Amino acid sequence: MSKILIVDDDKEYRENLKEILDNAGYPNDMAGSAKQAMQKLGDQQFDVVLLDFMMPGIDGINALGEFKKISPNSKIIMITAFASIENAVIAIKKGASEYISKPFKIEALLLMIKQVIEELRFEGNIKKLKLEGTLSSLSNSIRREIIRLFQTSKKIRLMETARKLDIEDHTKLIFHLKTLRAAKILRQDMKHAYMLTKEGKKVLECLNILDNYLSDK
Amino acid sequence: MSKILIVDDDKEYRENLKEILDNAGYPNDMAGSAKQAMQKLGDQQFDVVLLDFMMPGIDGINALGEFKKISPNSKIIMITAFASIENAVIAIKKGASEYISKPFKIEALLLMIKQVIEELRFEGNIKKLKLEGTLSSLSNSIRREIIRLFQTSKKIRLMETARKLDIEDHTKLIFHLKTLRAAKILRQDMKHAYMLTKEGKKVLECLNILDNYLSDK
DNA sequence: CTTTTATGTGAACTTTTCTTCACATAATAG
DNA sequence: CTATTATGTGAAGAAAAGTTCACATAAAAG
């Protein structure tokens, strides 16, 4: 179950929020200051942070930036009594996922929490899929050779590649090029030449890293 | 074709060696001092270094250590006029692949070169195989999950793992554990518990690296 | 000491991945 | 404008990877 951190300097309000989360069944923890919150964020993994804007010391917006640095994968929901478009914009720019102003309906907050957790789940899957695709692309030696060709060339063409890799049947090569295209590692320009995507460049770097990593005794 | 670096402060001897290598068809380059040699080694990839022992400044043995640091995958052949068992032992300990004393037959040197190049080719294959094994192991998600279990545990047992990964048929898990064992990523202790090999620890690190690398936008 | 749980093997089978082949169309060179 | 080279598709088949099942033995628990 997704864990939530409540950050609010107002004890009463804080415990109020805790009760709401407890009733909704979310495991949660509380912090009464930005400092305490950062410590907890560094310590454990929280999926969502409920952050109240009006805090003494570093104010909420600054805290927000710090929190994101410490725990970039946590979703942050800003809660504030002094809502304004400017503040909302700043908060979102600094990395808040949602912005809600007091007073709010409990259901509205719970819905928001549900949504960001859903986003989190989705992003996690995307990440997993990307790793999946990358590793299955790299599992084939022909595909690795293709990717390595981009060490020196920016673009490669089909038949030229076939000759370089000494592959007689060009349709075999097309199969692997297609696989790499499906994995978003390669793309083609208007004139059919193949080139690395942004993702593909990362994959090439990964390959180099693995090479180095595995080679030294 | 394999590239060779000749390091010798005696100009005449150096050019003598160059002629031999040219005739044998090996691309080569020369350095008249350890310093110059280190520069060239840092610059380009040499497969073999022919290193003469009696050099001014840092003597050959010290140079040897430096060379190995700069270019750990190059094979170094020590050539010396003052052969002794002690020196030979030191040279090999410091990373020389071969040790030959003057005067020597040209054929003996060429044979030596051929041998170390062959070793190099072989080691290259080993490296390729290791990458192959690692990537094909990581291409399967069950195996990745198994490896990740070692993030927190030092040893895992079969049925415990099956429960953690929610795999009903334990023979399926055995299949993947076997695969990982074959890839030298896992091994078993006397009491059948599975643990990471030294290589396996690297693989886990690689997996973490890939995770990080692919996750950030 | 017998019942249960853990660990394992080998063969049959399924699924996925890879290769090959027959064929088609577009681009380029002569 | 015709021959050649480049690029591609889809289906059939081969090979590799993964799963399941029937069965076996060893270790631990009662």
Side-chain angles (χ1 to χ4, degrees):
Chain A
M1 196 53 182
S2 305
K3 215 161 61 171
I4 302 178
L5 181 64
I6 301 161
V7 188
D8 197 318
D9 53 324
D10 180 337
K11 187 159 184 268
E12 197 184 345
Y13 202 83
R14 193 161 75 221
E15 289 176 345
N16 204 347
L17 281 171
K18 182 177 176 46
E19 206 186 321
I20 294 171
L21 296 183
D22 283 343
N23 287 337
Y26 290 111
N28 62 76
D29 198 354
M30 300 185 294
S33 68
K35 201 175 156 190
Q36 199 189 354
M38 288 192 273
Q39 198 172 4
K40 294 201 183 232
L41 282 172
D43 242 35
Q44 323 157 42
Q45 176 67 35
F46 290 94
D47 301 282
V48 181
V49 179
L50 295 183
L51 177 59
D52 196 298
F53 196 62
M54 284 305 289
M55 294 174 67
I58 336 175
D59 73 347
I61 282 286
N62 282 340
L64 180 53
E66 295 302 314
F67 291 1
K68 262 291 167 191
K69 259 187 234 163
I70 295 171
S71 184
N73 290 323
S74 298
K75 294 279 178 180
I76 298 179
I77 298 178
M78 284 290 284
I79 300 174
T80 178
F82 306 95
S84 75
I85 293 179
E86 294 94 310
N87 283 341
V89 169
I90 294 171
I92 300 297
K93 276 191 186 166
K94 285 267 186 179
S97 296
E98 296 291 344
Y99 187 88
I100 191 170
S101 44
K102 296 184 204 171
F104 51 78
K105 294 214 173 100
I106 292 178
E107 301 81 53
L109 181 66
L110 289 177
L111 179 64
M112 220 171 235
I113 289 172
K114 208 174 144 195
Q115 279 171 351
V116 297
I117 286 172
E118 181 55 26
E119 284 171 30
L120 218 45
R121 206 188 55 73
F122 182 69
E123 285 164 23
N125 282 346
I126 293 287
K127 220 183 268 187
K128 221 188 281 175
L129 279 175
K130 220 190 282 181
L131 181 70
E132 187 83 20
T134 301
L135 286 172
S136 103
S137 294
L138 291 179
S139 73
N140 180 286
S141 64
I142 293 177
R143 290 196 290 266
R144 286 201 299 276
E145 287 183 63
I146 294 172
I147 293 173
R148 280 196 230 266
L149 284 181
F150 290 96
Q151 206 86 250
T152 48
S153 325
K154 195 161 164 51
K155 295 187 178 189
I156 59 177
R157 334 216 69 247
L158 175 63
M159 289 314 286
E160 184 197 335
T161 304
R163 282 186 288 266
K164 272 189 191 167
L165 301 187
D166 202 39
I167 293 172
E168 356 55 58
D169 183 348
H170 71 286
T171 65
K172 174 172 164 180
L173 185 55
I174 288 178
F175 166 79
H176 291 290
L177 288 167
K178 246 180 183 166
T179 306
L180 288 171
R181 252 193 310 162
K184 302 279 170 63
I185 288 172
L186 292 187
R187 61 191 180 83
Q188 281 183 291
D189 64 10
M190 354 67 234
K191 268 314 178 197
H192 301 116
Y194 294 87
M195 59 183 69
L196 288 177
T197 61
K198 215 176 95 193
E199 281 300 300
K201 284 174 196 162
K202 278 196 199 173
V203 172
L204 175 56
E205 287 176 62
C206 283
L207 195 50
N208 286 331
I209 290 170
L210 286 181
D211 266 347
N212 277 317
Y213 212 78
L214 294 173
S215 68
D216 54 58
K217 256 289 180 297
Chain B
M1 195 52 183
S2 305
K3 215 160 61 170
I4 301 178
L5 181 64
I6 301 161
V7 189
D8 197 317
D9 54 322
D10 181 335
K11 188 158 183 269
E12 196 183 344
Y13 202 84
R14 192 162 74 222
E15 288 174 347
N16 203 348
L17 281 171
K18 181 176 175 49
E19 207 185 320
I20 293 170
L21 295 182
D22 283 343
N23 287 338
Y26 291 111
N28 61 77
D29 198 353
M30 299 186 295
S33 67
K35 201 175 155 189
Q36 199 188 355
M38 288 193 271
Q39 198 171 6
K40 294 202 182 230
L41 283 172
D43 242 34
Q44 320 156 45
Q45 178 65 36
F46 289 95
D47 301 282
V48 182
V49 179
L50 295 183
L51 177 58
D52 196 298
F53 196 63
M54 285 304 289
M55 297 174 64
I58 336 174
D59 72 345
I61 281 288
N62 283 340
L64 180 51
E66 295 302 314
F67 291 1
K68 263 289 169 192
K69 261 187 230 163
I70 296 171
S71 184
N73 291 323
S74 298
K75 294 278 178 181
I76 298 180
I77 298 178
M78 285 290 283
I79 300 173
T80 178
F82 306 96
S84 74
I85 292 179
E86 293 94 311
N87 284 340
V89 169
I90 295 170
I92 300 297
K93 276 191 186 166
K94 285 266 187 181
S97 298
E98 296 290 344
Y99 187 88
I100 189 170
S101 44
K102 297 185 205 174
F104 51 78
K105 292 215 174 100
I106 292 178
E107 301 80 54
L109 181 66
L110 289 178
L111 179 64
M112 220 171 237
I113 289 172
K114 208 174 144 195
Q115 279 170 351
V116 297
I117 286 172
E118 180 55 28
E119 285 171 27
L120 218 44
R121 206 188 55 73
F122 181 68
E123 285 164 22
N125 282 346
I126 294 289
K127 219 183 269 187
K128 221 187 282 174
L129 279 176
K130 220 190 280 180
L131 182 70
E132 187 83 21
T134 301
L135 287 172
S136 101
S137 295
L138 290 180
S139 72
N140 180 286
S141 64
I142 294 178
R143 289 195 291 266
R144 285 200 299 276
E145 289 183 63
I146 294 172
I147 294 173
R148 280 195 230 266
L149 284 182
F150 289 96
Q151 208 85 251
T152 47
S153 324
K154 197 160 163 50
K155 295 187 178 189
I156 58 176
R157 334 216 69 246
L158 175 62
M159 289 314 287
E160 183 198 335
T161 304
R163 281 186 288 268
K164 272 188 191 167
L165 301 186
D166 201 38
I167 292 172
E168 357 54 57
D169 184 348
H170 71 286
T171 65
K172 175 172 163 181
L173 185 54
I174 288 178
F175 167 78
H176 291 290
L177 287 167
K178 246 180 184 168
T179 307
L180 288 170
R181 250 192 312 162
K184 300 277 169 66
I185 288 172
L186 293 187
R187 63 192 178 83
Q188 281 183 292
D189 64 10
M190 353 67 234
K191 267 313 177 199
H192 301 116
Y194 294 87
M195 58 182 69
L196 288 177
T197 61
K198 216 176 93 192
E199 281 301 299
K201 285 174 195 161
K202 279 196 200 175
V203 172
L204 175 57
E205 287 177 62
C206 283
L207 195 51
N208 287 332
I209 291 170
L210 286 180
D211 266 347
N212 276 318
Y213 212 79
L214 293 173
S215 68
D216 54 58
K217 256 286 177 300

